Amino acid sequence: MCTVRAVAELLTVEDALARVLEHVRPLPSEPVELADAANRVLVEDARAAVDLPRFTSSAMDGFALRAADTPGTLPVVARVAAGRPVDRRLEAGEAMAISTGGVVPDGADAVVPIELVRDEGDTVVVPKVAPPGANVRPRGGDVREGEVVVPAGALLTPHRLAALASAGVARLLCGRRPRVAIVSTGTELRRPGETLRDGEIYESNGLMLAALVAGSGALVGAPEQVEDDAGSHEAALARGLEADVLVTSGGVSVGPHDLVRHTLAGLGATEVFWGVAMRPGKPLSFATRGDTLVFGLPGNPVSSLVGAVLFLVPALRALQGTAHPEPPFETGRLAAPAMRRASRDDFQRALVERTGDGVRLRVLAGQESHMIARTAAADALVHIPRGEGELAAGAVVRYLALDGAAGA
Ligand code: AMP
Ligand code: MG
């Protein structure tokens, strides 16, 4: 029988994350159509295919003219709609009506907005001086053809997709999406909707982890559930090890029914660490087999959540080639004092209150690792770093927003 360490030497949260990321080998890249690229990671700089704006264009509905001819009354010699350029120069003393986004004709150097003129049909009265360049968007003023619009390593958020579309980029190179298998262990687990017998509980981690994984741009199948017997564990974990990432929940502690670590060892996985100096979520294991990463998350639902956002989600992003896989911590101030633990980092559920004076974090009552229902009210995980004594009200701390828990 394969053995695993029975006493955890706890790693700090920072060291544990560093160890995880050291073992990530980014997956190969693949071409992706822009329309399919949302929430993917770009792995090669994307450059503009065209100048943006593509041509000298008008920022307003109004009249294109020469600034030097203002103020004055000018003949309107053409009307330019967006997408319909006129093939004629604007000569001295002339005006052309133009729409927002219309091609500013050669010869014109300003556009006077419609609100500032009197349109008399054949002529337009411009009562004030227009400065040269007014309301004219120069060609290439946003980006020039060939320049980088989005760099390698960036997450393709909606605003970056818009930038790429505007710059004429139709295909991209993205990191392949990791395939993730999820296995929830526990004989006591039943699916929501089923009838509970004595000692049974509803399974929640599989669903939560699948949502986190999908939000991290990875591909996930339906979570599996296994009872606490060696045969079921072995079959499910062997299947899971075929994925790029295997995530287990429960069974990773030291009880007689905690079979995950032994089973993984028997299947040839090498444990990188077990035990992180944090609360909740201490008995977390991380292993590898070949290029497959294995996260053994504790079964208590809040522990599973914390372990997943601190280690699993960053690993999934790193596998896809992101430049910044670390959890996206923000900072705020504690609403009330908080005790620190000498040797463990604490991740407490809290409300985010936005005040005129910045973000205030109000830690919720009920911080035990099984209290997932109370966690529903939380907006954030607040990091109370290990140390002596208490942090005063108003102390600046880091927090992770739970609505952005997938790091998007
Ligand atoms: P374990 O880590 O297996 O010792 O489980 C710790 C606690 O979490 C126990 O009370 C389990 O019943 C509970 N638990 C384990 N897995 C899940 C799960 N998938 N969903 C909800 N609770 C779980
Ligand atoms: Mg269990």
Side-chain angles (χ1 to χ4, degrees):
M1 165 145 189
C2 288
T3 53
V4 290
R5 263 187 309 124
V7 179
E9 289 157 32
L10 301 186
L11 283 182
T12 62
V13 173
E14 308 86 274
D15 287 349
L17 179 60
R19 300 289 287 278
V20 168
L21 295 178
E22 267 166 28
H23 284 82
V24 170
R25 278 209 228 128
L27 295 169
S29 57
E30 60 187 15
V32 177
E33 300 293 324
L34 188 68
D36 301 322
N39 205 21
R40 303 278 308 250
V41 178
L42 190 66
V43 294
E44 182 187 74
D45 290 348
R47 295 174 181 276
V50 294
D51 287 342
L52 202 63
R54 178 87 173 85
F55 45 83
T56 307
S57 67
S58 175
M60 303 287 278
D61 291 322
F63 288 83
L65 40 69
R66 298 187 334 162
D69 292 337
T70 60
T73 300
L74 308 175
V76 178
V77 298
R79 293 191 178 254
V80 190
R84 299 266 176 275
V86 286
D87 54 1
R88 163 193 188 301
R89 269 185 74 79
L90 180 131
E91 303 295 347
E94 294 179 340
M96 290 186 190
I98 191 165
S99 306
T100 303
V103 180
V104 173
D106 287 345
D109 64 358
V111 170
V112 181
I114 220 160
E115 298 86 341
L116 302 184
V117 301
R118 230 172 36 251
D119 186 353
E120 298 191 329
D122 291 346
T123 58
V124 61
V125 180
V126 184
K128 290 194 178 144
V129 171
N135 301 307
V136 173
R137 295 170 172 166
R139 175 175 183 152
D142 192 2
V143 73
R144 292 221 167 262
E145 181 182 336
E147 284 179 352
V148 173
V149 182
V150 179
L155 181 65
L156 294 171
T157 49
H159 69 292
R160 294 192 181 116
L161 293 176
L164 293 166
S166 303
V169 180
R171 280 191 124 201
L172 305 158
L173 267 191
C174 293
R176 178 164 77 64
R177 303 171 74 181
R179 288 171 297 108
V180 180
I182 297 175
V183 178
S184 295
T185 71
T187 302
E188 73 279 25
L189 305 176
R190 290 288 164 271
R191 294 183 198 283
E194 291 179 1
T195 305
L196 294 181
R197 290 178 306 198
D198 259 4
E200 294 180 342
I201 64 165
Y202 288 122
E203 201 281 332
S204 62
N205 293 344
L207 198 70
M208 173 183 72
L209 294 169
L212 278 169
V213 166
S216 309
L219 298 170
V220 61
E224 272 200 66
Q225 247 173 261
V226 294
E227 305 215 342
D228 293 321
D229 71 76
S232 315
H233 270 57
E234 205 172 305
L237 299 189
R239 271 194 303 279
L241 281 166
E242 300 302 317
D244 298 306
V245 179
L246 166 61
V247 187
T248 64
S249 124
V252 79
S253 200
V254 290
H257 305 290
D258 292 333
L259 306 174
V260 168
R261 295 171 63 227
H262 283 285
T263 309
L264 286 171
L267 290 167
T270 306
E271 192 164 84
V272 178
F273 64 80
W274 173 55
V276 182
M278 65 179 194
R279 183 179 175 275
K282 179 182 82 161
L284 181 146
S285 80
F286 175 64
T288 60
R289 193 183 76 174
D291 285 343
T292 299
L293 307 179
V294 188
F295 293 85
L297 303 177
N300 272 306
V302 185
S303 307
S304 234
L305 169 70
V306 171
V309 298
L310 291 181
F311 304 112
L312 169 63
V313 170
L316 295 176
R317 288 296 189 198
L319 282 168
Q320 294 169 79
T322 189
H324 301 290
E326 298 80 13
F329 280 102
E330 299 171 72
T331 55
R333 291 180 183 279
L334 286 177
M339 270 314 281
R340 288 193 284 179
R341 289 167 186 276
S343 54
R344 281 216 250 163
D345 285 15
D346 213 330
F347 291 89
Q348 302 196 344
R349 278 66 71 211
L351 298 179
V352 172
E353 297 172 349
R354 298 191 189 276
T355 70
D357 204 20
V359 168
R360 201 165 48 201
L361 301 158
R362 190 171 297 283
V363 170
L364 293 169
Q367 290 289 330
E368 288 170 62
S369 61
H370 64 287
M371 292 184 163
I372 191 69
R374 288 178 186 237
T375 300
D379 310 308
L381 289 176
V382 173
H383 178 204
I384 309 292
R386 60 189 178 272
E388 297 303 327
E390 69 172 24
L391 292 178
V396 174
V397 289
R398 303 188 312 157
Y399 71 96
L400 270 178
L402 283 174
D403 54 2

